[in-house]
Amino acid sequence: MTSLEFTDQVQKISYSLKPVAMNLTRDADDAKDLVQETLLKALLNKDKFKTGTNLKAWLYTIMRNTFINNYNKITKRNSNIDSTEYFQYFNTDENYITHNGATSDFVVTDINEAIASLSSDYRTPFMMYYIGYKYLEIAEKLQIPIGTVKNRIHIARKELKQALTTYAPGV
């Protein structure tokens, strides 16, 4: 699809974007801005559109994601947290205060033993994820499906949580 054809199709579909934008924003001016931003992003990223797929759905997805991103920016900007009260209680829980080095040595030893007790099928992906590998990298390296990687890491976390319940505060 040429740039001219793409632009022509986007222009035809643009009229159907306004009601959806109005539904999302509940404000006429914000809806116009959202449509305009959506069209701008679509035109700037036309190389990412795959010919033969649904252009209207692609534009709706861009619009929805743009709306969500803008909403998140606004809510983060407007949320002021008074951190003074938070820091007053920071690390004052007795469960987290180490009075001597031996206590932390016991904790580290228990954690290492719990990890060592995991089956290698679970331990290997868990440790790879722990040291910074992404799910996809682990899947490629171990030559297993990404869903299997996620499942094994989940099971490893569950087993470690069960093995280390001693250190769970308030339980």
Side-chain angles (χ1 to χ4, degrees):
M1 176 183 311
T2 66
S3 291
L4 190 59
E5 291 171 336
F6 179 81
T7 306
D8 186 47
Q9 286 187 7
V10 167
Q11 185 178 7
K12 288 177 185 173
I13 296 172
S14 68
Y15 298 108
S16 67
L17 296 176
K18 178 104 191 250
V20 176
M22 189 65 183
N23 193 22
L24 288 171
T25 62
R26 308 273 191 240
D27 181 72
D29 291 333
D30 289 342
K32 287 179 187 175
D33 291 343
L34 182 59
V35 169
Q36 187 175 19
E37 194 171 349
T38 301
L39 295 174
L40 177 64
K41 285 182 179 183
L43 293 173
L44 290 175
N45 294 297
K46 66 183 166 209
D47 56 311
K48 295 178 183 171
F49 176 73
K50 293 183 175 88
T51 306
T53 58
N54 190 343
L55 179 61
K56 194 173 193 178
W58 188 67
L59 290 171
Y60 284 150
T61 302
I62 292 172
M63 180 183 292
R64 187 193 68 227
N65 291 342
T66 302
F67 174 75
I68 291 170
N69 290 341
N70 289 342
Y71 178 80
N72 287 338
K73 283 179 192 173
I74 290 169
T75 55
K76 284 181 183 176
R77 196 178 310 137
N78 291 338
S79 63
N80 296 326
I81 300 172
D82 183 16
S83 59
T84 54
E85 186 176 324
Y86 171 74
F87 287 122
Q88 180 180 356
Y89 300 107
F90 188 67
N91 280 344
T92 59
D93 188 349
E94 288 298 317
N95 293 325
Y96 295 106
I97 296 175
T98 303
H99 297 288
N100 62 32
T103 305
S104 63
D105 289 344
F106 286 128
V107 172
V108 170
T109 302
D110 288 347
I111 292 171
N112 287 333
E113 286 174 3
I115 291 172
S117 72
L118 291 172
S119 162
S120 66
D121 286 344
Y122 300 122
R123 183 177 53 246
T124 303
F126 175 78
M127 289 307 295
M128 290 176 76
Y129 182 76
Y130 176 74
I131 61 174
Y133 284 92
K134 304 285 184 221
Y135 290 129
L136 189 59
E137 294 170 328
I138 298 169
E140 289 172 355
K141 202 136 187 127
L142 298 178
Q143 297 179 344
I144 56 177
I146 193 167
T148 305
V149 170
K150 291 178 180 181
N151 187 39
R152 288 182 181 176
I153 291 171
H154 173 74
I155 291 171
R157 286 179 175 161
K158 229 172 158 180
E159 288 183 14
L160 289 173
K161 186 177 177 182
Q162 183 66 35
L164 299 169
T165 54
T166 309
Y167 301 105
V171 178

